[in-house]
Amino acid sequence: MDHIDPRARFIFSFALLFSATATWNPNILFVIFLIAIIWYSMGRLTWKETKVGWFMISILLFTMIVVNTIITGGGAGGVVPPGGQLVWPNGFELFGKHFTFGLTVERLWFAVSQLMRILSISLAFIMIPYTMDSRAYGATFSKLGLPDGLAYTMELSFRFIPTLARNFQVTLDAQRARGFELDGRKGNILHKIRRIAPLLIPVTMNAIVSSEDIANAMDLRGFGQSKRTWLHELIFHWWDWVLIVFSVIMLATVLVLAFRFNMRLFSVPQWWYGLFSK
Amino acid sequence: MEADTTVKKKIWAFGTKEVVYAAIGAALYAVLTWAFNVWQIPGAGNVGIRPAIVIPMFFGIAFGPIVGFITGFVGNILADMLSGYGFWIWWDLGNGLIGLIPGMFSALIYRYNETKSILLGEASVVLGSAVGMAVASLSELWVSGADMKTVIFANFIPAFLTNIVWGLVLLPILMIAYAAILKRSGR
Amino acid sequence: MSDPAALPLVVKDLSFRYHTRTTPAIRNINLSLESGQIMLLAGSSGCGKTTLMRCINGLIPHAYQGTMTGEVLIHGKSVKGMGLSEISKNVGTLLQDPERQILGTYVLNEVCFGLESMGMPRKEMLPIAHRTLERLHILHLKDKETFFTSGGEKQKVALAGVLAMEPNILLLDEPLASLDPASAHEALLAFRELADEGLSIMIVEHRVEDVLAIKPEKVVYMDDGEITYSGDTAGLLEAVDYSRIKLPADVIARRAKGKVHPVFLPTVPQLEPESQALVSFQDVRFQYKDDTPEVLHGINLEVRAGEVIAILGHNGSGKTTMVKHALGLLKPTSGKVLLEGVDSKKSTIATAAKTIGYVFQSPTQMLFAPTVREELAYGPQNLGFAKEQVEENVDWAIETVHLEEELPTPPLALSFGQQKRVSIASVLSMRSRVLMMDEPTAGQDYWNYQSFMDTILQTPGFDAIIFITHDLDLALIYANRVVVLYGGEIVADGHPQDVLLDDEKLKKWRLLPTSLLKLNQELWPKTGQYLRAEALSQFLT
C-alpha cells in the first residue's frame, strides 16, 4: 500500500464509495464488496491496529442493521416495498411463549445488502489513516488542485494534535487539582454541560492565543508569498495509473448498469427465498 | 484599550492567520471530540454526546465561514481518524456546515460579550445545526436506504438536538471568554 | 569602522505605535550590527524589545498595523520596500516558544518549511537541510517527530528551520526561556559558533548573566520603549538598575554595598521535626504501563510543617511525575504516598487538594471564569465548602495577592503577571496546607519574578511550600531544603548549603553552578548561610 500514490488511493476510495452507494443490486454489491475486501487485504493492517475502528463500526452497523432494519423495519423503509414474505408466518415459540414478529425475508436480505454496502465503504476508508503518511497530505491535496493555504491546513492540523492533546491533559490535571471531578454528581443537564467550561475554555483560548505566534512563525518563513513546493515527493508509477483506470471503469460500469440497465433497485435473489421455504 | 471596530471584517479572506485558525480549530475539534469520548453514548446512528461540537460553531463566529467550515469538516475527519471510525463524507460535510453558517454571521459581530452578539451567535447555532444535520441525515436516505421517518427520528432529531443543546449553552461562554482575550491581542 | 551602507543591520531613529494604542511602543531607536557580532538586547517585560524585533523582521508593518517613523536598513536597503519573503532570506527569527514556532510534524519537514514557501525544488532542499542539521550537530534527529524531541533539541530544530533559509542576521527572542541551565549553556555556545561563522546575531534576553558567558560584542538596554544604554558589557554592568535584569552576583553585591534593602522574612511556621508528615513518599515506584520503562525508582520523601523545599532537576528527571503523585493524579505502581497520613489510593483528588494546593506553570492552563471572583470560588466550591466560607476564603486570597480591585474583571483580560497572581489566589482560596508551585518564575522577567517570589514566601497561611525549578539561584535564596531529582531518583536531599556544595556533582545533574552560588561559597565563612546578592554586599570587604 505504501507504494501506491495517495492521489490514486483517494480516487479509488471515492470511486468505490460512489459505486457502492449507486445501487442496491445484490450481484453488483457483492462484486464491490469483494473488491473492497481485496483492497483492504492489500493494506496488510493488523487486527491490533484497527480493532478500535472496527468496534465503532460494529456499533454503527448494529444500530443501523439490527435495530433499524431487522427489529423496527424503519431502516429498510426507503428501499424495501411494504408487504412481502414473513420469516415466521405463524409466529414462533420462545421460553414457552408465543411471539409474532413482522420480519420479512425481503427485509432480512436488505440487511445483508446494507451490510455489504457499509462494510465496503468502511473497508475503503478505515485504512486511510493507518496507511497514509501524515506528511503527504499537503502535497497530495495541492496536486489534486487545492490552493496552497487549504492544502497545507490539514498537515498543520496534524502537527498540533499532540500539542493540543497534551494541553488538554494539563488543563484536566489543573482543574482536578482544584476539585473538578469527571463524573458529575448533581445538577440538571444545564449544570452538567456548564461543568465542561473549566476544561473547554482554557484549552480553546490558549489555542487561539498561540495562533498569533504560529501565524508569525509562518509569515516569517515566507508562507504564502510564492507558489509552494513540497518536500514530500509524490511519484506516479504505472500501477497508479492502472488503479485510476480501474477506478474509473468500475464506477462507469456500475453507473451504466444502474441507470442504463435499471440495475440500481433492490431485489432479492431466488436462492434467498429458498432458504426460508419449507 | 478598545479594539478598532471601524474596520469592516473581510469574512472570506484566507491568509496565513486564517490557515492557522482553521488548522488549530480542526485539531482542537478532533482532540476534544476524542477526549470527551468518555461521554460517548452509542445507539443513535452517528450521533454522540459531544460538547466539542461547539468548537466549529465558535471558530465560525470568531473567524468567519471558511475557518468555521474547515474546523468542522476537517476536524470531524480527524476525529474519526483518531478513533478509527472510518470516513463519512456526508457527516463531515454536515459538521462543516455547522461551522460555516455561524461564520456568515461573524460579519455582524464586533463585540463578543454584547447581548446582541450572543443572540446572533445562538441563532446561528440553531440554523447551522439544522442545515448541517439535515444534509448529513438526508444522506442516509441514499447511503443506508432508510426511510424518511427513520432518517428524521433516528438521525436528524437526535443529532440536531444534542448539537444545539451543547452549542446554545457553551457558545456564549466561549464568546465571553474570547471578548476578554481580544483585549490583549495584537495582530 | 566600515561603511554604514554595507552593514548587515542599521536602525535609524525608529519609532512605532500600534494602531490600537495611543502611545508609541518604541521611540528613537538607533543601533547597528556588524557581521560576526552578537548583540545582547536586554530589558524587562514591556520595554519594547518585541516591537523592535518585529520592525526588523518585517512583521511590522506586514502583519501588525500602526505608524512607523525612521528606518531599518538591511545591507543598506530599507525594509520598507521589501516583502516578507525577501526579508526572511536576510533576517531569521527564532520566537520565544519553540513549541509554537515548529510547524513540521517531522524534523526534516520543519527544516524545509521556509524552502517550501520559497518554492524551491525538492532536489535543492535536501542538501541544504542536511547541511543545516549538521551545522547544529543534530543530523541524527532528521527523521524524528518534532513533538517528541526534548526541550533543548526542540529549540535547535526550530533554529535549523530558520537557518535553512540562510539568513545573515539572526534575531533570537528570549531563547533561554524554556531551557534548563545545561541546555541553555549549550544553546548559547551554538549561537557563538554561528556568529563566528559570520552571522550577525541579536539576542533579546533578560537572563543577562547567562548571555555574558558568550561575550556579546555589543549590549543595548531598553527601558520603556527607549534605549537607555548602548555600549560594551562592562559599561552595562555599571549603568543599569540591578534589580531589573539579572546581572552577575558579584556585580550586584558590589554595587549594592552601603544601600538599604528591604528585609525578607519568609512566613512559614517554625520547623517541627517531630510533627506528622504532611506529605510522605514511601518507596514510590511508577511506570505508566507494564511495557514502558519505570519513571520513578523508589522515591522516599517526607514534607513537614516549616519547610520550604526546592525540587531541582533537569527536564525529564521525573519532577512532574512525582508531583502528580503528591496530588493523587497518579497512583504509585508500588510503594505509598500518604497525605497527612492518608493513603492516596484511598482518598479522592478533592481531598488531596485540602492538603496540597498546586499552581501549574502557566496560568492560562487553568483560568476560565468570567470574573476573578468566580475563578477564586471554583476550588472551594468543588471541595464542598459552605457559601460563607467560600466568600471568606475568596476575600482572603485576593487580599493576599493584592488584586482586590480586579475581582469583577475577567481573568483572561489581565496581564500575564496578574494572571499568575490570580492562579495562585485560586489555589490559596482552597486553604490547602502545602503550597506547591511548578516553575513559579516561568514567563516572568527577573524583576517580576523576584518580587513575585518574595510576596509568595511572605504570604501567611501555608504550613510548607514546595517549588519545582531548574533555577539554582531560586533554590539557594528561598529554600531551606533542596531535593535534587536525576533520572527518576532523589540523588540529594538536605540543606542548600550541603546539597549545592559540589560543583562536579551539580554539573552531572545538569545544574550549572551560578555566580551567586560561587559568591555565597566564597563568603560562607562570614555569612554562615546562603543569601541573595544584595544581602551579601555587607559581607564584602
Side-chain angles (χ1 to χ4, degrees):
Chain A
M1 190 57 67
D2 291 341
H3 302 292
I4 302 178
D5 188 279
R7 286 165 290 183
R9 277 153 53 182
F10 270 101
I11 290 170
F12 172 79
S13 301
F14 275 95
L16 194 96
L17 170 74
F18 285 107
S19 305
T21 49
T23 177
W24 285 109
N25 180 290
N27 299 322
I28 303 179
L29 270 185
F30 183 69
V31 173
I32 292 170
F33 184 48
L34 277 184
I35 293 173
I37 290 177
I38 295 168
W39 174 248
Y40 184 78
S41 59
M42 283 165 65
R44 298 211 180 121
L45 294 175
T46 62
W47 170 242
K48 207 179 157 194
E49 287 175 283
T50 52
K51 65 180 175 198
V52 180
W54 286 116
F55 176 71
M56 299 300 261
I57 289 169
S58 312
I59 292 173
L60 186 76
L61 285 173
F62 180 83
T63 347
M64 192 182 283
I65 294 168
V66 179
V67 179
N68 292 346
T69 302
I70 296 184
I71 298 177
T72 68
V79 174
V80 183
Q85 182 188 332
L86 288 172
V87 177
W88 295 286
N90 308 314
F92 55 90
E93 301 284 329
L94 193 66
F95 306 124
K97 281 189 180 164
H98 188 77
F99 288 94
T100 54
F101 182 33
L103 178 66
T104 62
V105 176
E106 289 81 1
R107 245 163 64 199
L108 207 53
W109 175 250
F110 181 71
V112 175
S113 309
Q114 263 185 328
L115 190 67
M116 289 197 291
R117 182 185 259 198
I118 305 295
L119 273 180
S120 303
I121 301 172
S122 306
L123 286 165
F125 284 99
I126 195 176
M127 59 197 294
I128 288 182
Y130 301 102
T131 55
M132 177 124 176
D133 188 332
S134 65
R135 286 167 283 193
Y137 284 101
T140 307
F141 292 138
S142 160
K143 299 228 163 104
L144 284 170
L146 282 182
D148 284 351
L150 285 175
Y152 185 69
T153 305
M154 187 123 160
E155 223 176 291
L156 193 61
S157 262
F158 270 105
R159 156 68 187 88
F160 284 99
I161 284 178
T163 304
L164 291 170
R166 189 190 52 200
N167 290 353
F168 179 83
Q169 184 62 49
V170 172
T171 295
L172 180 62
D173 285 344
Q175 307 303 31
R176 285 174 80 198
R178 294 163 82 193
F180 170 86
E181 275 171 67
L182 277 173
D183 319 306
R185 295 154 294 174
K186 49 180 190 262
N188 55 21
I189 175 103
L190 196 77
H191 187 81
K192 282 186 176 148
I193 294 177
R194 280 174 169 276
R195 277 174 11 95
I196 306 251
L199 299 181
L200 188 66
I201 290 178
V203 178
T204 309
M205 296 303 140
N206 240 333
I208 291 174
V209 172
S210 316
S211 297
E212 183 176 335
D213 288 337
I214 299 167
N216 284 348
M218 288 168 69
D219 277 343
L220 286 173
R221 285 194 278 159
F223 182 81
Q225 302 282 315
S226 34
K227 178 73 190 145
R228 198 172 179 76
T229 47
W230 305 88
L231 171 67
H232 196 89
E233 197 174 26
L234 297 176
I235 306 168
F236 249 73
H237 296 95
W238 60 266
W239 55 79
D240 295 312
W241 288 113
V242 170
L243 184 64
I244 289 176
V245 169
F246 175 79
S247 307
V248 172
I249 293 175
M250 172 177 73
L251 183 60
T253 314
V254 171
L255 290 179
V256 167
L257 287 176
F259 293 95
R260 194 66 207 200
F261 295 91
N262 265 329
M263 289 172 74
R264 69 178 178 281
L265 295 179
F266 174 73
S267 66
V268 184
Q270 274 314 307
W271 61 268
W272 184 254
Y273 283 112
L275 291 179
F276 295 91
S277 57
K278 310 231 155 59
Chain B
M1 196 65 55
E2 288 298 331
D4 194 345
T5 55
T6 53
V7 186
K8 198 166 159 36
K9 284 191 183 178
K10 293 183 204 126
I11 62 168
W12 297 102
F14 199 69
T16 310
K17 249 192 321 184
E18 285 75 19
V19 169
V20 176
Y21 286 133
I24 293 287
L28 187 62
Y29 182 31
V31 165
L32 291 177
T33 303
W34 165 78
F36 285 122
N37 259 345
V38 200
W39 280 281
Q40 193 103 38
I41 298 175
N46 290 11
V47 185
I49 304 290
R50 305 190 309 167
I53 191 66
V54 71
I55 296 297
M57 298 168 177
F58 170 67
F59 272 70
I61 277 284
F63 310 117
I66 304 181
V67 172
F69 180 80
I70 297 176
T71 299
F73 179 74
V74 176
N76 204 53
I77 293 175
L78 294 175
D80 283 351
M81 279 185 180
L82 284 183
S83 36
Y85 210 69
F87 182 82
W88 307 93
I89 184 83
W90 293 275
W91 288 91
D92 300 330
L93 276 176
N95 275 279
L97 291 171
I98 286 180
L100 181 126
I101 289 172
M104 316 281 276
F105 284 65
S106 70
L108 306 169
I109 297 179
Y110 290 96
R111 288 168 206 268
Y112 284 80
N113 50 358
E114 279 178 355
T115 316
K116 195 188 99 197
S117 310
I118 290 174
L119 289 177
L120 275 173
E122 300 286 64
S124 77
V125 163
V126 177
L127 191 64
S129 301
V131 176
M133 289 301 97
V135 167
S137 308
L138 290 176
S139 73
E140 296 291 335
L141 280 178
W142 174 37
V143 179
S144 71
D147 64 354
M148 195 52 133
K149 205 174 105 201
T150 309
V151 163
I152 290 175
F153 288 99
N155 295 116
F156 177 75
I157 290 185
F160 172 70
L161 284 182
T162 43
N163 285 345
I164 63 164
V165 168
W166 291 108
L168 288 176
V169 181
L170 294 177
L171 184 75
I173 295 177
L174 283 177
M175 286 175 70
I176 289 167
Y178 181 56
I181 64 163
L182 261 188
K183 291 182 181 158
R184 296 198 299 137
S185 83
R187 245 182 106 133
Chain C
M1 207 57 193
S2 48
D3 170 24
L7 286 181
L9 177 68
V10 176
V11 177
K12 266 194 212 159
D13 303 323
L14 184 72
S15 300
F16 181 78
R17 181 178 67 82
Y18 289 98
H19 75 121
T20 49
R21 301 290 152 92
T22 49
T23 51
I26 50 172
R27 287 183 306 273
N28 306 320
I29 303 292
N30 284 290
L31 54 84
S32 68
L33 198 53
E34 291 170 40
S35 353
Q37 280 190 333
I38 294 181
M39 174 187 282
L40 166 64
L41 177 57
S44 46
S45 300
C47 71
K49 297 176 293 192
T50 309
T51 304
L52 174 56
M53 284 183 93
R54 284 174 182 164
C55 289
I56 299 171
N57 64 27
L59 281 177
I60 291 174
H62 291 283
Y64 295 86
Q65 270 115 51
T67 324
M68 192 205 265
T69 56
E71 254 185 331
V72 176
L73 302 170
I74 292 170
H75 295 289
K77 198 174 160 194
S78 170
V79 295
K80 266 182 201 149
M82 294 191 208
L84 269 172
S85 64
E86 195 187 342
I87 300 173
S88 67
K89 284 170 205 162
N90 289 294
V91 183
T93 310
L94 189 66
L95 300 173
Q96 208 180 105
D97 183 356
E99 189 67 46
R100 294 176 184 182
Q101 163 132 17
I102 292 178
L103 306 163
T105 316
Y106 289 81
V107 171
L108 196 58
N109 292 69
E110 171 58 19
V111 180
C112 291
F113 181 89
L115 308 176
E116 292 177 321
S117 301
M118 287 157 67
M120 181 182 281
R122 183 176 189 275
K123 275 188 220 118
E124 295 169 33
M125 278 182 211
L126 285 173
I128 296 178
H130 275 254
R131 207 162 58 227
T132 312
L133 287 167
E134 249 168 8
R135 191 172 171 191
L136 294 170
H137 318 294
I138 50 167
L139 189 58
H140 58 284
L141 298 177
K142 180 168 70 89
D143 297 314
K144 250 191 132 172
E145 280 184 63
T146 50
F147 181 75
F148 295 107
T149 51
S150 73
E153 288 173 346
K154 225 167 237 173
Q155 195 184 51
K156 285 192 180 162
V157 170
L159 184 59
V162 172
L163 289 178
M165 300 184 76
E166 305 183 324
N168 37 45
I169 301 166
L170 197 55
L171 307 180
L172 309 167
D173 190 1
E174 300 198 11
L176 309 180
S178 58
L179 302 180
D180 62 35
S183 313
H185 188 68
E186 281 165 27
L188 284 166
L189 293 179
F191 301 152
R192 182 79 260 179
E193 222 177 293
L194 291 172
D196 293 343
E197 288 168 24
L199 259 76
S200 309
I201 301 181
M202 182 192 269
I203 304 182
V204 172
E205 187 59 67
H206 58 83
R207 280 162 71 170
V208 172
E209 184 192 355
D210 298 353
V211 182
L212 292 184
I214 54 163
K215 304 198 167 49
E217 280 79 8
K218 283 189 175 174
V219 184
V220 169
Y221 181 75
M222 278 179 80
D223 189 21
D224 196 23
E226 286 179 309
I227 291 182
T228 56
Y229 174 81
S230 174
D232 62 4
T233 313
L236 175 88
L237 297 179
E238 302 309 319
V240 302
D241 181 349
Y242 56 78
S243 66
R244 286 282 152 185
I245 52 173
K246 191 171 182 185
L247 300 179
D250 48 323
V251 175
I252 301 178
R254 180 166 47 72
R255 288 183 53 194
K257 199 160 170 56
K259 291 186 187 146
V260 185
H261 292 282
V263 184
F264 169 73
L265 286 174
T267 50
V268 290
Q270 281 292 308
L271 185 62
E272 298 169 39
E274 299 309 316
S275 63
Q276 184 197 38
L278 293 163
V279 185
S280 164
F281 278 68
Q282 301 179 352
D283 200 29
V284 171
R285 293 174 178 275
F286 181 75
Q287 55 194 121
Y288 279 92
K289 285 179 194 151
D290 290 340
D291 54 354
T292 57
E294 197 177 74
V295 223
L296 295 180
H297 316 293
I299 301 285
N300 284 295
L301 181 73
E302 299 212 318
V303 179
R304 285 175 210 286
E307 290 188 311
V308 179
I309 303 180
I311 299 183
L312 290 171
H314 61 99
N315 292 340
S317 60
K319 289 177 294 186
T320 312
T321 316
M322 194 173 122
V323 165
K324 285 189 174 181
H325 276 84
L327 297 171
L329 291 169
L330 292 174
K331 314 276 163 152
T333 313
S334 76
K336 266 187 200 168
V337 177
L338 305 177
L339 297 174
E340 298 185 67
V342 181
D343 192 331
S344 74
K345 282 181 183 157
K346 291 178 188 134
S347 69
T348 62
I349 297 164
T351 5
K354 288 182 180 165
T355 307
I356 300 188
Y358 185 55
V359 182
F360 280 69
Q361 201 179 112
S362 161
T364 53
Q365 286 163 338
M366 63 184 280
L367 300 177
F368 74 96
T371 63
V372 170
R373 181 183 290 283
E374 285 164 81
E375 191 72 54
L376 302 197
Y378 181 68
Q381 276 167 356
N382 282 333
L383 299 189
F385 287 22
K387 199 163 172 284
E388 303 77 52
Q389 186 68 48
V390 173
E391 279 172 24
E392 200 180 297
N393 288 9
V394 169
D395 291 339
W396 171 77
I398 201 73
E399 277 166 32
T400 309
V401 299
H402 307 298
L403 282 173
E404 292 93 327
E405 71 284 6
E406 304 293 354
L407 275 175
T409 316
L412 289 167
L414 298 173
S415 72
F416 184 88
Q418 289 173 320
Q419 285 187 345
K420 190 92 196 176
R421 278 148 71 195
V422 171
S423 73
I424 301 265
S426 67
V427 169
L428 289 175
S429 66
M430 295 191 292
R431 304 229 65 158
S432 324
R433 296 189 62 190
V434 181
L435 175 68
M436 186 147 74
M437 297 181 284
D438 184 16
E439 295 290 353
T441 59
Q444 305 192 70
D445 65 30
Y446 178 67
W447 190 80
N448 278 315
Y449 84 58
Q450 285 254 358
S451 60
F452 172 80
M453 285 301 284
D454 284 358
T455 313
I456 292 304
L457 278 129
Q458 295 182 85
T459 297
F462 296 109
D463 291 343
I465 294 177
I466 305 174
F467 59 90
I468 297 157
T469 183
H470 41 228
D471 185 341
L472 212 60
D473 289 354
L474 221 52
L476 68 88
I477 294 174
Y478 294 103
N480 58 25
R481 178 176 169 192
V482 173
V483 172
V484 182
L485 228 71
Y486 180 76
E489 274 176 276
I490 292 182
V491 288
D493 182 355
H495 284 285
Q497 294 91 306
D498 304 328
V499 172
L500 305 177
L501 205 59
D502 187 342
D503 283 4
E504 286 313 305
K505 274 191 185 153
L506 288 178
K507 278 181 192 154
K508 186 184 159 225
W509 301 330
R510 294 183 68 80
L511 300 164
L512 298 184
T514 58
S515 63
L516 181 61
L517 178 63
K518 283 179 194 154
L519 188 62
N520 264 301
Q521 285 167 346
E522 274 171 37
L523 296 174
W524 176 256
K526 292 184 199 166
T527 58
Q529 59 177 323
Y530 278 1
L531 294 168
R532 64 181 69 199
E534 289 89 337
L536 286 174
S537 63
Q538 53 183 310
F539 298 97
L540 283 182
T541 42

